[in-house]
Amino acid sequence: MEKIKISISDILRLKGKRKITMLTAYDYPLASLVDKAGIDIILVGDSLANVVLGLDSTTKVGMFEMLHHSKSVTRAVKSALVVGDMPYDSYQVNTEESVANAQRFIKEAGCDAIKLEWFDKCLEVTEKITKAGIPVMGHIGLTPQTADKIGGFKVQGKDAQAAKRLIGQAEALEGLGCFAIVLECVPDKIAKLITEKLKIPAIGIGAGINCDGQVLVIHDLLGLFERYTPKFVKRYANISVEISRAIQNYRDEVMEGKFPGPQHSFTIKEEELKKLEE
Ligand code: KIV
């Protein structure tokens, strides 16, 4: 049966009806599996930098890498809404290029929407992008691209003043037309408060159970990224162990002359071989 593509209106309608599911994916094989599993939103996150490219900061990926990976995801996806994550340079450094860069995610990579993180000019940039007709997902709380400015990779909104700031940011982004907001590393009760105040969905990561939906980095969920694991991650599998076992078996069988077997080899007729020998 033909899969029906999830739209922004579908995501908006889900608020208060059922939880929204979101996962990252960065390539064709994993995006296909995530899509087939019925996940609502696939984020081509700039976490690509850490979990795929081996970089130590998300600020180190640019438009080239993000578009390259977004294209491989949209080629695979039939149903999920695909959100391209704007890399740091594309809107925080080059604010004047932000609309053109957002357009590239939609036109060149085939994404349905973009996501950007909170920063000092976030409202100005968000307004320009939404006014250009591009659906925007906001991202507040722990914003890895500006972690150095918010005291590091720490829970945000832990005192009344900081929590009030987060509520203000969420409401302002909703006011500018964002269709959803990611809340990262926020105390569960503050996330609940924000979720209840907003008409648009709040998607949590390290923000407790009361958000409208949840997002995780797929490599964390699968146990495919071993450098560090944040407290909010639940590992649903340990794929690294499986992969290591398969590679070891391959290595052993090649060295022992057991692979390839006849079933993996191609033959030539004896008469042809004879002709060659003559
Ligand atoms: O880049 C990313 O993977 C993200 C999620 C953690 C929300 O921004």
Side-chain angles (χ1 to χ4, degrees):
M1 206 171 68
E2 187 70 8
K3 283 230 174 175
I4 297 169
K5 179 84 181 160
I6 295 175
S7 66
I8 300 283
S9 329
D10 294 331
I11 298 298
L12 288 167
R13 266 197 299 273
L14 286 176
K15 185 169 176 110
K17 297 224 170 60
R18 73 147 167 85
K19 296 279 186 182
I20 297 165
T21 56
M22 173 163 152
L23 269 179
T24 67
Y26 318 92
D27 58 27
Y28 187 93
L30 280 181
S32 300
L33 293 173
V34 173
D35 192 47
K36 281 184 191 142
I39 294 293
D40 299 311
I41 306 176
I42 295 182
L43 170 70
V44 189
D46 64 352
S47 46
L48 168 78
N50 309 112
V51 300
V52 176
L53 302 180
L55 297 165
D56 60 5
S57 165
T58 55
T59 58
K60 294 186 180 168
V61 280
M63 284 299 288
F64 174 80
E65 294 93 335
M66 291 306 300
L67 290 178
H68 179 76
H69 284 265
S70 297
K71 284 179 198 171
S72 68
V73 168
T74 56
R75 263 177 228 131
V77 170
K78 299 205 164 43
S79 174
L81 188 93
V82 181
V83 180
D85 211 2
M86 298 272 288
Y88 175 71
D89 273 3
S90 73
Y91 69 107
Q92 297 207 24
V93 178
N94 298 313
T95 41
E96 63 292 342
E97 306 260 323
S98 57
V99 177
N101 284 328
Q103 292 276 19
R104 294 187 70 194
F105 274 96
I106 312 291
K107 292 207 167 131
E108 285 177 42
C111 292
D112 303 301
I114 60 97
K115 176 172 87 58
L116 45 81
E117 294 183 10
W118 184 268
F119 72 113
D120 52 1
K121 293 189 187 140
C122 187
L123 296 180
E124 182 192 314
V125 168
T126 302
E127 185 170 21
K128 281 199 279 187
I129 300 177
T130 53
K131 275 197 172 150
I134 299 165
V136 177
M137 176 181 270
H139 181 159
I140 62 171
L142 172 52
T143 44
Q145 293 176 353
T146 44
D148 53 335
K149 296 196 180 114
I150 57 170
F153 287 80
K154 295 202 176 114
V155 179
Q156 302 294 309
K158 279 185 84 168
D159 58 52
Q161 205 184 4
K164 203 169 165 196
R165 252 195 326 269
L166 285 183
I167 295 168
Q169 291 172 1
E171 289 181 329
L173 290 172
E174 176 174 64
L176 290 176
C178 285
F179 73 95
I181 294 179
V182 168
L183 305 179
E184 181 165 352
C185 284
V186 175
D188 54 358
K189 289 194 175 138
I190 301 304
K192 181 171 189 282
L193 210 67
I194 296 174
T195 305
E196 286 168 355
K197 277 185 181 290
L198 296 179
K199 290 187 187 65
I200 56 171
I203 315 283
I205 175 162
I209 192 71
N210 292 301
C211 300
D212 297 303
Q214 297 292 327
V215 55
L216 278 181
V217 168
I218 189 148
H219 287 57
D220 289 338
L221 170 155
L222 293 177
L224 202 50
F225 180 67
E226 295 179 314
R227 226 160 65 201
Y228 51 82
T229 308
K231 172 184 158 79
F232 56 73
V233 167
K234 180 171 175 183
R235 268 196 186 180
Y236 286 82
N238 201 347
I239 297 298
S240 298
V241 172
E242 265 304 288
I243 293 176
S244 299
R245 193 180 298 133
I247 297 168
Q248 286 286 346
N249 283 344
Y250 166 75
R251 181 178 177 272
D252 292 349
E253 289 200 357
V254 169
M255 286 173 63
E256 290 163 15
K258 289 185 179 161
F259 177 83
Q263 70 273 40
H264 310 114
S265 305
F266 303 99
T267 54
I268 182 169
K269 286 186 181 136
E270 280 302 320
E271 66 222 53
E272 294 302 321
L273 253 188
K274 261 208 187 99
K275 273 191 226 163
L276 182 70
E277 278 162 13
E278 278 160 16

